[in-house]
Amino acid sequence: MFDEPISSFVFTNEQTTQTFHHQWFSQGQLHECATCYSSIDADEPPSQHWLRGGEASQGLQLTKQQQAVLDIIEARQIETFFFCDESSKDKLEHFMGETCARGIPELLRWMFQNNTVAVEFNLACYVNAMDQVLIFQSGSLRVDHHYDVDESVGVVYEMLMQRIENYLNCSSEYGMSECSITRLKVQVKRIRMDAEGQSADSSFFVLPLQLQEDEGLTTTSGCSTSESELASLRSAYLKHFRECNGYFPPNMRVNLYGLQQCKTTKELYVVPYHISETLQQLPNKNFLILNNIMGQFQRLHELSTPVNSIARDQTSSPLKELHCRRCRTQFSRRSKLHIHQKLRCGQDFSVDSMHADIVEIYEQCLPISRSVFQHACYGITKPKTVMRKGQFVPIECDWRSESSVKVQHGPCVVISNAQHSSPCKFY
């Protein structure tokens, strides 16, 4: 088990410049981040660090072609997707590991657009083993914040791989190296809000899991800003953000902070955005700026203490060991433990198998560019057709294609446990 990284942000002033860089403390060592770095003029506000490629660059940016595909997904209410790759037959973990690290998280981030406040998904992998296809499926998991996507998929992936390994060890002489995965199925449901009536309701917006454990970042009874004060502050923030590019007037007596995500560790950390001078006996209130997946403003979250008080001391004692009380699995982050507990230690995970004579066909699928998800991805537009081998095959199908077969109106995903020697490859 690895120690939970403890992030800190460091500002260095050198004559006419102010430099920001991110550090994290893990396994007794201090690490300098190679991806979180910014330099501005010394007299500029800290917001300029994040407006010059920081916050803006972290918003999801879609090309016209990607937006067109997303529009089709929404119009046809597609909720089931297949990732396919024939080249991964030689190694079980290769295709699944890459897809869970990049493809599936990116797909779920797509789903967070257009008034979506949460997504619920489950993952099924089709394992070619023991001359059959075994179907391992996870339980459903709700993701309430787009910053939680990577860790949520990562936890599901680890739990599925552990169950595959345990099943193979207990059920056969086959090992992991003798199996392959060439199909992954993701089922996604989107939880939306009413764009007109509930757009300002803060109950729809939650903090990312990595921040919910920090005492200073949670809403407490000590946060007493009225709705009218909050509305006035929100209007002032948006006005100066749009018209003054993040330059706020000195008389704006409030401290604003933003969120950054490290591209290296995927860890979230809070950084100063606007820090005002404190008047005597009148401490400034503190707020965290929360944006949606596109980088657009959602709301201001009041903090009970300044961020400097929230940051943990790197010289303090090590974090308490994290483990699940039910199954004793250990974790490197509290957020991962929370996800594991939401999945009830895998209690709702299942395993099934396909009959040797069964072929599943998903016709007229929506192809999604490989450049987006690295491996071929298809949106399922029609219910599957279940056939027995040897039955009549639609004349428009071309069985010579391995990863999918072509039909008149689009590609088709085929699942079968046909042998490698079969003249018709269904993998």
Side-chain angles (χ1 to χ4, degrees), residues 141-293:
L141 177 64
R142 174 170 168 146
V143 184
D144 290 305
H145 197 283
H146 60 88
Y147 274 133
D148 297 330
V149 165
D150 287 284
E151 278 196 329
S152 297
V153 177
V155 171
V156 171
Y157 165 73
E158 292 171 2
M159 295 175 71
L160 272 176
M161 292 302 297
Q162 186 63 51
R163 274 152 182 75
I164 294 172
E165 184 175 7
N166 292 343
Y167 184 91
L168 294 176
N169 289 339
C170 296
S171 303
S172 73
E173 70 281 3
Y174 283 75
M176 296 275 282
S177 59
E178 299 174 82
C179 305
S180 66
I181 298 176
T182 60
R183 298 285 184 273
L184 291 176
K185 181 174 72 174
V186 186
Q187 293 178 293
V188 186
K189 290 186 177 180
R190 305 165 76 178
I191 296 91
R192 299 172 182 265
M193 68 174 180
D194 183 348
E196 295 182 0
Q198 300 167 341
S199 59
D201 189 347
S202 62
S203 64
F204 282 89
F205 306 115
V206 300
L207 288 176
L209 290 176
Q210 289 187 40
L211 301 183
Q212 289 183 18
E213 298 292 335
D214 287 316
E215 296 179 1
L217 294 177
T218 55
T219 303
T220 66
S221 58
C223 298
S224 56
T225 303
S226 66
E227 285 298 324
S228 59
E229 288 179 302
L230 196 57
S232 177
L233 177 60
R234 183 167 53 242
S235 297
Y237 164 75
L238 290 174
K239 173 181 173 64
H240 288 90
F241 176 80
R242 293 166 181 165
E243 298 179 5
C244 306
N245 194 34
Y247 283 83
F248 299 96
N251 61 354
M252 192 172 177
R253 301 295 178 184
V254 67
N255 296 333
L256 299 177
Y257 301 89
L259 275 181
Q260 291 286 293
Q261 184 175 40
C262 178
K263 295 180 181 179
T264 303
T265 66
K266 300 299 182 182
E267 188 181 10
L268 293 179
Y269 55 99
V270 179
V271 292
Y273 198 91
H274 165 76
I275 305 299
S276 175
E277 293 184 7
T278 303
L279 296 180
Q280 192 174 14
Q281 297 180 344
L282 289 174
N284 293 333
K285 291 186 176 182
N286 306 278
F287 294 89
L288 179 66
I289 303 165
L290 296 178
N291 297 327
N292 63 15
I293 186 71

Side-chain angles (χ1 to χ4, degrees), residues 9 42 70 81 93 168 189 210-211 265 274 280 295-296 301 304 330 335 376 391 415:
F9 48 86
L70 182 60
F81 301 85
E93 297 183 40
L168 294 176
K189 290 186 177 180
Q210 289 187 40
L211 301 183
T265 66
H274 165 76
Q280 192 174 14
Q296 300 164 338
H301 175 86
S304 58
Q330 294 186 346
S335 50
Q391 282 185 314
I415 301 173

